[in-house]
Amino acid sequence: MGATHRSDPRSKTLDRMLGLLENAASQGAELVLFPEIAFTTFFPRYLINDLDGLASWFEHGDVTKSENASPLFDKARQLGVDISVGFAEAAENGGRFNSSVYYHAKSGSVLSKYRKIHLPGDFEPFADPEATNQLEKRYFKPGDLGFQAFRVPDLAEGSEPIMGMMICNDRRWTEAWRCLGLQGVQVVLCGYNTAGFAPDLWGSDKNADPKQAEETALFHHKLVMQHGSYTNATFSVCAARCGVDDGKYSLIGGSCIVGPEGDILAEAKTVEDEVVMAECDLSACRQGKTRTFDFARHRRVEHYTRIVEQTGVVEPPKLGDSAPNGASTHGEQSNANCLQMLLPTLPLDVSVHGFTSPPPAPSAIEGNSDNILSAAAAARALLPLQQREAYDAVLVACYSEHALIRLLREELDVPVIGIMEASLFAARTLGARFGIVATSRRSRVMHAEAVRGYGMEAFCAGIESCDLGVLDLERKPREVVLGLMQAAARRLVGKGAEVLTLGCAGMTEMKVAVEEAVSGEGVRVVDGVVAGVHHLVGLVRMGGKTAKAGLYASSAVGRKARGQEYF
Ligand code: CDT
């Protein structure tokens, strides 16, 4: 589909779509794919603050019955042609998604719905009013339906082909293709709106030749479609909303149909309304699916765990920056270990993002200066992040009464807890007396003060130090570290501890070794990161918010009055 301007009436766009559908049907098409957000212009490029105005870009409730879209589904039914079409969805529960449906003409029903998972762009617009924005993170939630393949009856000579949908930016993510590939997909459908020359959006050279920039965008588009098709031995069909919207926003063309060997079977010739047709012999998928990409025989999932356990990049330590001084990598490593422990325990609707405080934050917290300076650095980075991402809760993964906990309780109203306090709550629930396996001798004293502060002294059987610095947990030989921790654990059990808590987020992955040391005694071991996340999940489900009537009231108004916007 070519240009669709902001001012275009819905009826005009719908008429164009009906014309395209009739045209495709007259050429014998059995299935027609329309672009992403096909019924309107690509509105996420505009900052729309007025709620009624925003609502007008969405389809509300069942899209096949929606006033502005239903004629397309009616026409598909009448022609006996299946369609897949992208639209902005205002769901009944209030969620807003960038969605698409597969409509099965013969049964007059939606066979599958997909909600875009990879939302590109930003929440806030660029400062430069001339920049092209893509505010998908503002207007949509990430899709919650996964990459679900589905069978289509009465199509392709009754072969019940397996299809899957993705939307625009999803096609750039190998993970999306593989999720469908692992379900034996034979046709991937993907509508898109891809900006051509938009250097702020792409992070590219503002002085580049716009024509050249469009060529690059087109190259990347075809690259991912052909790669995804080939490596999953599937046909793919992609439909662009293209041309120049509002006389200034250029969108690339490149609608095409790709075969399972990665070859382009048919391709758009214009950036205007156009029907691109290909006959797809689905048996052509067999070659790749049974040889080079026979997943069952060749995949080595034991080496792919990073893909589902890690979101951001964790680089190997810098050369010459070995462990004794290489503290900067400690945070990331510890972060990755914590997430690894957590993942198997998480309900499907909970995701946890690990955040390591950036420089100048100290790379280990061993005393009060580290504590306070890390709280300041973390808060400066976290508060804007929270504005953008709106996390439901925050867990501070330092085993202490860390200053960041109180700071965040003042600044945010989502629940905030530290792993020490969460550990103590869990330990108190699971046993009458707890013990803490501490790192350094100094941390032992600090933990004792914190236990008093938390009002838990009466339940504390003891705190035993391993005489290790925080970074020693990684830099000392593993058997030495585990030996010291196990010895401390046994001493605590000797003092009457029934539940042990691990006194540092960096000890997370040593939990099993500590459990082994005390397993015969019926003693339990609590990991603060896991305990903390589940405590918060419970509070979030309860609708719990931080009370603002007393200690945790924000001082923002006072700060503003003093002209001290120090965050
Ligand atoms: N609609 C959409 O997802 N467009 C994106 C533009 C990239 S924003 C940096 C795309 O991946 O094509």
Side-chain angles (χ1 to χ4, degrees):
M1 291 182 68
T4 303
H5 308 301
R6 187 174 188 174
S7 57
D8 282 355
R10 290 282 211 113
S11 56
K12 177 178 168 194
T13 310
L14 183 63
D15 282 347
R16 284 167 53 198
M17 295 170 78
L18 292 170
L20 285 163
L21 179 56
E22 276 172 345
N23 178 340
S26 72
Q27 295 184 54
E30 285 183 82
L31 162 62
V32 175
L33 171 69
F34 288 92
E36 171 191 33
I37 308 193
F39 296 100
T40 66
T41 192
F42 190 64
F43 70 87
R45 66 166 75 97
Y46 314 112
L47 179 64
I48 304 164
N49 282 322
D50 123 65
L51 287 184
D52 287 344
L54 185 61
S56 72
W57 297 100
F58 284 78
E59 309 309 320
H60 299 259
D62 178 355
V63 63
T64 66
K65 305 273 180 318
S66 125
E67 187 190 337
N68 293 307
S70 62
L72 188 74
F73 298 96
D74 296 344
K75 173 69 74 185
R77 180 133 214 215
Q78 183 196 327
L79 295 169
V81 174
D82 288 4
I83 58 172
S84 177
V85 59
F87 62 102
E89 177 191 9
E92 255 131 35
N93 63 5
R96 290 191 307 233
F97 301 95
N98 185 343
S99 303
S100 62
V101 284
Y102 186 102
Y103 180 78
H104 184 240
K106 292 204 180 73
S107 61
S109 64
V110 169
L111 283 191
S112 187
K113 182 191 277 183
Y114 171 70
R115 290 171 168 162
K116 183 174 181 178
I117 286 175
H118 298 99
L119 297 175
D122 306 275
F123 188 89
E124 293 297 340
F126 293 115
D128 177 357
E130 289 308 309
T132 302
N133 289 299
Q134 182 133 343
L135 304 177
E136 289 195 56
K137 289 193 194 295
R138 186 180 198 93
Y139 299 130
F140 305 119
K141 280 190 183 172
D144 55 1
L145 301 176
F147 294 102
Q148 199 57 56
F150 53 96
R151 283 199 182 266
V152 180
D154 311 316
L155 198 79
E157 294 165 358
S159 60
E160 301 192 343
I162 304 171
M163 305 232 181
M165 293 182 276
M166 48 176 85
I167 299 180
C168 195
N169 192 257
D170 291 318
R171 73 197 189 287
R172 303 186 195 275
W173 298 91
T174 316
E175 296 87 339
W177 287 92
R178 190 59 102 225
C179 287
L180 292 174
L182 283 167
Q183 298 169 76
V185 75
Q186 294 169 304
V187 186
V188 172
L189 305 168
C190 179
Y192 60 101
N193 282 265
T194 294
F197 180 59
D200 296 271
L201 206 53
W202 294 116
S204 56
D205 179 5
K206 284 192 189 228
N207 300 316
D209 169 24
K211 271 247 141 341
Q212 188 60 49
E214 291 219 358
E215 286 300 317
T216 304
L218 204 53
F219 165 71
H220 289 149
H221 155 67
K222 289 189 189 166
L223 180 73
V224 293
M225 291 310 299
Q226 291 181 258
H227 173 270
S229 275
Y230 168 61
T231 54
N232 293 281
T234 177
F235 285 88
S236 65
V237 186
C238 58
R241 255 292 338 284
C242 51
V244 181
D245 286 0
D246 301 351
K248 71 187 257 204
Y249 300 109
S250 77
L251 295 165
I252 63 164
S255 301
C256 57
I257 301 171
V258 181
E261 292 297 307
D263 44 329
I264 294 185
L265 304 176
E267 188 175 354
K269 295 179 184 61
T270 72
V271 285
E272 286 156 25
D273 287 3
E274 185 181 337
V275 173
V276 180
M277 283 275 290
E279 191 165 333
C280 300
D281 174 1
L282 301 183
S283 68
C285 299
R286 204 173 305 128
Q287 180 185 335
K289 285 190 195 302
T290 55
R291 296 301 306 166
T292 314
F293 298 108
D294 179 351
F295 296 152
R297 285 198 301 136
H298 305 309
R299 290 183 81 240
R300 289 282 165 247
V301 290
E302 66 276 25
H303 298 293
Y304 305 156
T305 45
R306 254 177 214 285
I307 288 179
V308 287
E309 289 177 356
Q310 194 177 309
T311 314
V313 172
V314 180
E315 293 181 354
K318 287 219 166 71
L319 297 175
D321 201 9
S322 57
N325 307 315
S328 59
T329 59
H330 163 77
E332 281 88 358
Q333 189 53 54
S334 166
N335 185 342
N337 291 343
C338 291
L339 291 177
Q340 192 157 350
M341 278 292 283
L342 262 175
L343 268 168
T345 75
L346 290 182
L348 285 176
D349 62 338
V350 176
S351 60
V352 177
H353 293 236
F355 168 86
T356 302
S357 198
S363 50
I365 299 164
E366 297 185 312
N368 278 309
S369 315
D370 295 337
N371 172 347
I372 291 161
L373 293 173
S374 77
R380 290 197 169 105
L382 260 179
L383 293 174
L385 186 69
Q386 173 64 358
Q387 281 214 326
R388 282 203 306 276
E389 303 293 334
Y391 292 112
D392 294 309
V394 184
L395 177 69
V396 177
C398 172
Y399 196 96
S400 69
E401 229 183 340
H402 195 281
L404 184 64
I405 304 166
R406 291 184 194 207
L407 185 159
L408 292 179
R409 283 180 179 159
E410 280 185 17
E411 297 303 316
L412 309 177
D413 64 359
V414 298
V416 178
I417 196 168
I419 57 173
M420 179 173 195
E421 195 176 9
S423 295
L424 301 188
F425 286 152
R428 267 283 288 127
T429 312
L430 299 176
R433 294 289 179 276
F434 64 81
I436 302 176
V437 180
T439 47
S440 64
R441 278 188 246 171
R442 180 185 184 178
S443 74
R444 189 172 165 224
V445 180
M446 292 168 71
H447 292 338
E449 285 188 359
V451 167
R452 257 198 303 284
Y454 286 132
M456 293 279 197
E457 211 177 4
F459 313 106
C460 183
I463 304 171
E464 287 290 325
S465 152
C466 303
D467 218 352
L468 289 167
V470 170
L471 301 181
D472 287 340
L473 293 173
E474 278 169 19
R475 71 185 164 197
K476 289 235 160 128
R478 195 170 164 81
E479 59 285 4
V480 172
V481 172
L482 294 183
L484 290 166
M485 287 178 66
Q486 289 178 323
R490 286 195 203 97
R491 291 199 298 276
L492 288 167
V493 174
K495 289 181 169 179
E498 296 155 35
V499 182
L500 303 181
T501 79
L502 305 177
C504 180
M507 288 179 169
T508 286
E509 47 145 5
M510 291 129 191
K511 177 175 176 243
V512 174
V514 175
E515 272 169 344
E516 270 167 18
V518 296
S519 59
E521 327 274 341
V523 172
R524 311 287 174 216
V525 182
V526 167
D527 171 68
V529 175
V530 176
V533 165
H534 289 280
H535 184 81
L536 291 171
V537 169
L539 286 174
V540 171
R541 291 210 200 285
M542 281 165 51
K545 296 271 182 221
T546 303
K548 294 290 172 181
L551 190 63
Y552 300 136
S554 169
S555 61
V557 174
R559 289 200 302 268
K560 194 162 188 183
R562 301 194 303 269
Q564 292 179 318
E565 292 294 341
Y566 37 68
F567 286 122

